Amino acid sequence: MHFPSITLTLPIWVDSFVINYGRVFPDDLSRMGFVTKLAEQNVLQKSGGPFAAAIFCNKTNSLIAPGVNVVVSSCCSLAHAEMMAIGIAQQKTASFDLGPDSELFTSTAPCAMCLGAIPWSGVRRVVCAARDEDARAIGFDEGAKISNWTDALRERGIDVRTDFMRFEGKAVLDLYSSEGGKIYNGRNENNNL
């Protein structure tokens, strides 16, 4: 018996978005600005959920890998923005440990699955815009996440900054909701998965 493998890819528009946006990200503002605009574009292109993430190198101020949510288009619940960014960065660097200079920026605080992947990825800093309560407010199920998740990451040597540009991150979630974007939760009778 042969089982198929999975291949997850970013939407085709991401390459040109990255090229047009620029290559140097000297501070948190420029990095999160990129991530929230990437999430917004994912909504406007109707290529996935209202989530984006990116891995940056804080030593060179460069983008290592972008990620957007492609759960519905890929038919794969693993395809969250953080998981895409982490996986692409690991493939690009040919290492499962992204190292001490890596930072994860995400348009919404990580769900339970993505939170679990962060320590294993090797990133040393996480910066989040919207809160998971903002995602829950439009209907997403963020999973059973420990309430003191930021402390848990800090105990593992990972710096965490929350609510950074929260308004911009929440605006993307609200846009997705107002556009009638699909809310895809396991066992949600309205998602027909």
Side-chain angles (χ1 to χ4, degrees):
M1 178 179 266
H2 174 73
F3 291 99
S5 61
I6 63 168
T7 301
L8 298 173
T9 59
L10 294 175
I12 194 78
W13 60 263
V14 172
D15 286 340
S16 59
F17 180 86
V18 170
I19 290 166
N20 292 332
Y21 201 90
R23 302 257 179 197
V24 179
F25 301 88
D27 53 30
D28 287 359
L29 189 63
S30 63
R31 294 172 191 178
M32 189 59 80
F34 170 80
V35 167
T36 56
K37 288 295 184 188
L38 187 63
E40 179 183 60
Q41 194 64 24
N42 205 36
V43 173
L44 296 174
Q45 292 287 333
K46 300 192 181 315
S47 50
F51 308 102
I55 304 287
F56 295 94
C57 176
N58 68 9
K59 189 174 186 178
T60 63
N61 295 324
S62 61
L63 173 68
I64 299 172
V68 295
N69 178 290
V70 290
V71 168
V72 173
S73 62
S74 67
C75 297
C76 184
S77 62
L78 301 174
H80 287 203
E82 296 93 335
M83 302 299 280
M84 297 294 289
I86 289 168
I88 292 167
Q90 290 171 331
Q91 292 293 296
K92 185 175 178 182
T93 62
S95 177
F96 59 85
D97 185 347
L98 295 173
D101 296 322
S102 61
E103 300 182 340
L104 170 66
F105 279 68
T106 182
S107 63
T108 303
C111 70
M113 175 179 65
C114 297
L115 177 61
I118 289 170
W120 292 323
S121 71
V123 299
R124 301 305 200 276
R125 183 168 184 245
V126 177
V127 181
C128 312
R131 295 179 181 177
D132 76 351
E133 68 193 56
D134 299 328
R136 291 176 196 273
I138 66 165
F140 283 101
D141 177 359
E142 297 297 280
K145 192 164 93 173
I146 59 173
S147 60
N148 61 344
W149 66 272
T150 57
D151 291 338
L153 289 181
R154 287 183 185 112
E155 287 172 12
R156 290 175 159 262
I158 301 168
D159 183 42
V160 180
R161 182 175 186 183
T162 59
D163 293 341
F164 182 68
M165 295 178 61
R166 181 181 178 199
F167 177 82
E168 290 83 351
K170 186 177 180 315
V172 176
L173 296 170
D174 294 340
L175 173 66
Y176 186 75
S177 181
S178 71
E179 295 278 320
K182 185 172 187 153
I183 305 297
Y184 43 87
N185 297 321
R187 297 197 176 112
N188 179 345
E189 61 275 354
N190 297 323
N191 70 11
N192 299 318
L193 292 178

